Amino acid sequence: MTPMAHLGVGIGWRPEIADAVERLPGLDWVEVVAQNVCPGHLPESLMRLRERGTRVVPHGVSLGLGGADRPDPAKLAALGERAVALGAPLVSEHIAFVRTSSPVLEAGHLLPVPRTRDALDVLCENVRIAQDALPVPLALENIAALFSWPGEELTEGQFLTELVERTGVRLLIDVANLHTNRVNRGEDPAAVLDAIPLEALAYVHVAGGIERGGVWHDTHAHPVPPVVLDLLAELRSRVDPPGVLLERDDDFPAEAELAGELSAIRAVVTSGTAGAAVTARTAGASAPEEPAVAGSAPVGTGPRPVEESARTRVALGQAALLSALVAGTPVPEGFDRRRIRVQARALAAKRADVVARLAPELPGILGGPDAYREVFLSYAKGRPMTAGYRRDALDFAEDLLIRDLPADPAARRRLTDWWRERSGARPPRRIVRWARTLAGRAA
């Protein structure tokens, strides 16, 4: 496998810290959430970084390559457009599912795929479809999980190794997620690092989190703990990573604290000698054939066709789980019910937070953050998300108006105006509201 280009030490670019990122000393590269930038209207901060030679890598969060459905061609095209616009050497995504099509449900979050033969076959075919559509190589990230699937047939190391062997995809290893899965699923990070093909490593993520009630929450809103830096050192003892990136998505600290975290990461990356594990793995082995195109499966490996019955089995399992998480249906047999309840609460809380960030006027209209949160969480119990967070904000507002809420007429007028400006339509008339309400009760 051709070695990846050296990226160095970087940070996740976010609008809230854009100015600070530009001033960080010794910054080699940045990663940007692909869905948060528009190719024709790139933020000026990103343009300035590019002009001074800082590499920019788009990081996708919505493809759902681990889902039962084949990748959406429009989403793939959009990710490719961002890679071209940013001059990116590669793009990255996650080994996760985020939605189901029957029923139509959106998690709004990255959920783990079952480590089964069926799920691996589906993932590999989806990855090959993505590789064929993208103009640059693809790297896939191991995700953090609150729960395990029952009846798994492969370890994490086996699953990732076969994925690479069958598709030639690169790996993005998040050491914070390795720690999360150690706490939440009892998995040994060292065993994972020993098992996976580190010669396929594209880069590494480092992030913070917090433990509550025996569950580790991968928040990206807390400082990087020493235990995660220790795992970075474990990885560094095995391989010299092409790139390492600090992720921070919320509760952004002062610029000096960000610089300090980057310095701590850089100290780990530049210490010691690495590469023995990779050398031992590849010594005496013939080099794999080069991909026919950037990021595609190695020539001669031959894709294993996926039977539609495998996709159906994966779809049924994922639909049952996601419905339990966001629609209140019974938890499927074999899952840890307590963990599923924790995940369901976390998904609802994230949904409320994201809608409030996308539509900051709503908490003000509804009487403040606490009042908004109470009303939104009540709404979310009966209305699973089906089309993303922006649509969710509009659906939430419409649901309130259908029920003649808020009770204060002035607040209701403000909400009506807000909804009308963004939906491009008149609020439902009273007769339509009654009809929808009755239809909902009948369902």
Side-chain angles (χ1 to χ4, degrees):
M1 182 173 284
T2 305
M4 280 299 303
H6 181 76
L7 293 171
V9 175
I11 192 169
W13 183 93
R14 303 294 183 265
E16 297 88 343
I17 54 172
D19 291 342
V21 167
E22 290 189 60
R23 292 190 294 266
L24 288 171
L27 187 70
D28 298 311
W29 67 293
V30 298
E31 180 191 76
V32 60
V33 176
Q35 287 71 24
N36 291 349
V37 295
C38 178
H41 304 279
L42 294 176
E44 292 184 4
S45 173
L46 279 181
M47 296 297 290
R48 286 192 293 269
L49 287 169
R50 283 198 62 205
E51 288 168 0
R52 73 187 199 196
T54 304
R55 282 182 165 172
V56 182
V57 172
H59 185 52
V61 297
S62 68
L63 277 182
L65 292 174
D69 294 324
R70 291 175 175 82
D72 182 345
K75 292 182 184 295
L76 286 172
L79 184 57
E81 288 171 359
R82 283 150 178 78
V84 171
L86 294 167
L90 77 160
V91 297
S92 57
E93 250 288 354
H94 300 82
I95 302 170
F97 82 100
V98 297
R99 65 182 62 86
T100 59
S101 59
S102 182
V104 177
L105 296 172
E106 287 275 350
H109 189 71
L110 303 164
L111 295 175
V113 301
R115 290 176 296 206
T116 62
R117 286 289 168 192
D118 280 348
L120 181 59
D121 286 347
V122 169
L123 174 64
C124 286
E125 184 172 88
N126 288 351
V127 167
R128 286 192 291 268
I129 292 170
Q131 289 171 318
D132 288 343
L134 292 168
V136 294
L138 171 67
L140 293 182
E141 178 180 352
N142 60 306
I143 71 162
L146 282 173
F147 60 87
S148 298
W149 282 77
E152 292 192 320
E153 300 165 334
L154 301 164
T155 66
E156 179 80 343
Q158 291 168 335
F159 194 86
L160 294 178
T161 297
E162 191 162 336
L163 171 65
V164 171
E165 289 173 348
R166 289 171 57 178
T167 67
V169 77
R170 304 287 181 163
L171 294 178
L172 160 51
I173 296 301
D174 189 316
V175 291
N177 291 351
L178 291 179
H179 174 65
T180 301
N181 295 339
R182 169 167 54 192
V183 176
N184 295 348
R185 304 205 287 188
E187 296 172 357
D188 180 5
V192 176
L193 293 175
D194 285 340
I196 60 177
L198 290 174
E199 61 272 19
L201 184 65
Y203 61 97
V204 178
H205 272 175
V206 179
I210 190 170
E211 187 172 351
R212 298 191 190 97
V215 175
W216 186 268
H217 297 270
D218 179 46
T219 64
H220 293 191
H222 292 81
V224 177
V227 67
V228 171
L229 289 177
D230 290 344
L231 284 179
L232 178 61
E234 281 269 359
L235 183 146
R236 178 66 181 85
S237 71
R238 293 163 170 79
V239 66
D240 186 4
V244 181
L245 184 118
L246 170 65
E247 285 189 296
R248 187 77 177 231
D249 293 327
D250 207 351
D251 289 340
F252 298 101
E255 184 176 331
E257 187 174 337
L258 287 175
E261 289 202 301
L262 282 174
S263 294
I265 289 169
R266 191 174 288 108
V268 173
V269 172
T270 56
S271 65
T273 302
V278 172
T279 301
R281 182 193 300 276
T282 58
S286 59
E289 297 183 57
E290 289 299 310
V293 295
S296 65
V299 174
T301 58
R304 182 184 303 172
V306 178
E307 297 180 1
E308 286 304 311
S309 58
R311 284 194 181 271
T312 299
R313 289 189 293 270
V314 171
L316 290 173
Q318 292 180 347
L321 173 62
L322 186 52
S323 183
L325 288 170
V326 302
T329 57
V331 177
E333 190 67 31
F335 284 94
D336 184 323
R337 283 172 165 74
R338 185 182 74 85
R339 287 296 177 89
I340 297 301
R341 287 194 296 270
V342 171
Q343 181 72 84
R345 289 195 296 270
L347 290 178
K350 178 180 179 180
R351 188 176 165 191
D353 291 342
V354 174
V355 167
R357 285 201 298 271
L358 291 173
E361 303 88 354
L362 291 179
I365 293 172
L366 298 175
D370 292 341
Y372 155 79
R373 194 174 188 83
E374 181 180 353
V375 175
F376 185 90
L377 291 177
S378 176
Y379 154 81
K381 287 180 182 177
R383 290 287 299 273
M385 185 165 57
T386 60
Y389 286 112
R390 295 186 187 279
R391 181 71 251 176
D392 199 26
L394 289 171
D395 289 346
F396 169 55
E398 182 177 345
D399 182 75
L400 293 176
L401 294 172
I402 287 171
R403 295 186 288 127
D404 286 328
L405 295 173
D408 175 55
R412 193 161 60 249
R413 284 194 297 272
R414 289 175 61 199
L415 184 61
T416 298
D417 291 341
W418 182 91
W419 183 86
R420 181 183 295 157
E421 289 171 1
R422 288 154 182 81
S423 67
R426 291 184 177 276
R429 293 176 298 170
R430 186 174 297 275
I431 187 66
V432 177
R433 299 177 193 177
W434 288 343
R436 290 182 180 174
T437 301
L438 289 173
R441 290 172 182 168

